């Protein structure tokens, strides 16, 4: 764990943890109020019902403990002889939790707009089976992987890309309007909320407190969708102007 937290590009040591936690809590409550007062495109006030707003405002948060989850599907570390491990943070009481709930509710319906996204192996087999056109001569099947996807994503760029994608597609999310509770925020406000969830992840280990300064936030439910939308936009942007773009392209959703 100490080797993992020694990555100063991804983690910043916090000295005044009480002030940092209070600042994150205040920012979270302010964003809840901003979203509650947000005007929709018809000029109506409010994003959620009053009882939902009050529930978020009284949410009690804390700096959570970081722990390691053994990756039993990977080979042992050649130096230590132990299993490789993934850092995990239970985000149930994180100061960003109220805004993370809202970001998750907004973003999850967008996943169905990512045609290349695969849910699992069965989904992959079904989509491959449905391909009717024969593969051209000299076609090849290939795969690739993004190493350390979550820590590799730029926080500011991710917030901008995801907020823009939401703004361009929110009219297609009928279940949000039908619910009568969520009113889509404007792009700049939503970008601010996403950036708060990503940037204000606080964690502690061995009595030391850190802030995650790169990548999507550990333990936040919205991180999965943020990563999926970000990868979709980046890949489609690249594929759109390539003559050798794959004829068939699928991508396993982030887990």
């Amino acid at each position: 764990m100490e080797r993992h937290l020694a990555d100063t590009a991804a983690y910043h040591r916090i000295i005044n943890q009480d002030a940092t936690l209070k600042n994150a809590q205040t920012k979270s409550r302010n964003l809840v109020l901003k979203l509650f007062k947000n005007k929709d495109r018809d000029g109506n006030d409010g994003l959620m019902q009053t009882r939902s707003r009050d529930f978020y405002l009284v949410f009690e948060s804390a700096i959570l403990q970081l722990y390691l989850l053994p990756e039993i599907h990977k080979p042992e570390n050649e130096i230590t002889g132990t299993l490789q491990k993934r850092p995990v943070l239970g985000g149930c009481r994180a100061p960003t939790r109220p805004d993370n709930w809202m970001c998750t509710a907004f973003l999850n319906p967008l996943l169905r707009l990512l045609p290349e996204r695969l849910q699992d192996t069965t989904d992959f087999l079904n989509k491959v089976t449905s391909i009717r056109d024969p593969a051209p001569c000299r076609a090849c099947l290939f795969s690739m992987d993004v190493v350390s996807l979550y820590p590799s994503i730029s926080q500011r760029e991710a917030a901008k890309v995801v907020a823009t994608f939401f703004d361009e597609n929110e009219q297609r999310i009928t279940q949000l309007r039908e619910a009568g509770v969520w009113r889509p925020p404007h792009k700049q406000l939503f970008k601010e909320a996403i950036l708060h969830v990503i940037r204000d992840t606080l964690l502690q280990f061995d009595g030391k407190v850190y802030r995650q300064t790169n990548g999507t936030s550990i333990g936040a439910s919205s991180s999965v969708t943020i990563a999926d939308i970000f990868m979709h936009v980046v890949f489609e942007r690249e594929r759109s102007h390539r003559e050798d773009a794959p004829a068939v392209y699928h991508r396993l959703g982030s887990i």
Side-chain angles (χ1 to χ4, degrees), residues 69-141:
L69 184 67
E71 298 183 302
I72 61 176
H73 60 289
K74 293 185 177 181
E76 294 182 352
N77 186 295
E78 296 180 357
I79 298 177
T80 63
T82 60
L83 288 172
Q84 299 183 52
K85 300 175 180 66
R86 174 183 296 175
V88 180
L89 185 71
C92 294
R93 293 189 60 200
T96 58
R97 183 68 167 174
D99 303 283
N100 174 57
W101 272 325
M102 287 184 277
C103 288
T104 301
F106 286 132
L107 294 175
N108 276 356
L110 292 175
L111 292 178
R112 65 182 181 84
L113 304 180
L114 313 183
E116 81 285 359
R117 185 176 184 271
L118 297 171
Q119 297 181 359
D120 49 34
T121 303
T122 301
D123 189 25
F124 169 72
L125 293 174
N126 289 336
K127 289 182 177 179
V128 169
T129 304
S130 66
I131 298 175
R132 299 305 178 192
D133 296 331
C137 180
R138 297 185 180 182
C140 63
L141 178 68

Side-chain angles (χ1 to χ4, degrees), residues 5-189:
L5 292 173
D7 182 2
T8 55
Y11 299 98
H12 173 67
R13 175 83 183 278
I14 299 297
I15 304 301
N16 193 341
Q17 62 186 62
D18 292 336
T20 302
L21 175 60
K22 185 176 181 180
N23 180 62
Q25 292 170 332
T26 301
K27 189 181 299 184
S28 180
R29 294 189 182 98
N30 288 341
L31 275 168
V32 169
L33 290 172
K34 283 184 180 181
L35 290 166
F36 182 77
K37 296 175 182 178
N38 178 60
K39 291 181 180 295
D40 64 15
R41 284 175 169 76
D42 297 324
N44 300 311
D45 285 325
L47 177 69
M48 66 192 82
Q49 296 174 349
T50 302
R51 61 177 180 271
S52 300
R53 178 204 63 183
D54 293 344
F55 169 75
Y56 291 136
L57 290 176
V58 300
F59 176 79
E60 296 184 4
S61 60
I63 300 177
L64 304 178
Q65 194 77 22
L66 187 68
Y67 64 93
L68 294 172
L69 184 67
E71 298 183 302
I72 61 176
H73 60 289
K74 293 185 177 181
E76 294 182 352
N77 186 295
E78 296 180 357
I79 298 177
T80 63
T82 60
L83 288 172
Q84 299 183 52
K85 300 175 180 66
R86 174 183 296 175
V88 180
L89 185 71
C92 294
R93 293 189 60 200
T96 58
R97 183 68 167 174
D99 303 283
N100 174 57
W101 272 325
M102 287 184 277
C103 288
T104 301
F106 286 132
L107 294 175
N108 276 356
L110 292 175
L111 292 178
R112 65 182 181 84
L113 304 180
L114 313 183
E116 81 285 359
R117 185 176 184 271
L118 297 171
Q119 297 181 359
D120 49 34
T121 303
T122 301
D123 189 25
F124 169 72
L125 293 174
N126 289 336
K127 289 182 177 179
V128 169
T129 304
S130 66
I131 298 175
R132 299 305 178 192
D133 296 331
C137 180
R138 297 185 180 182
C140 63
L141 178 68
F142 70 94
S143 65
M144 57 184 177
D145 182 33
V146 179
V147 178
S148 301
L149 171 60
Y150 287 85
S152 301
I153 296 176
S154 166
Q155 293 179 336
R156 183 172 293 277
E157 184 179 2
K160 179 181 178 181
V161 166
V162 175
T164 300
F165 186 81
F166 175 83
D167 186 67
E168 293 172 349
N169 293 281
E170 58 92 0
Q171 291 296 334
R172 301 169 65 181
I173 311 175
T174 57
Q175 55 264 54
L176 291 182
R177 296 192 298 273
E178 292 170 354
V181 176
W182 305 100
R183 288 176 183 166
H186 56 79
K187 183 171 67 174
Q188 189 58 37
L189 178 56

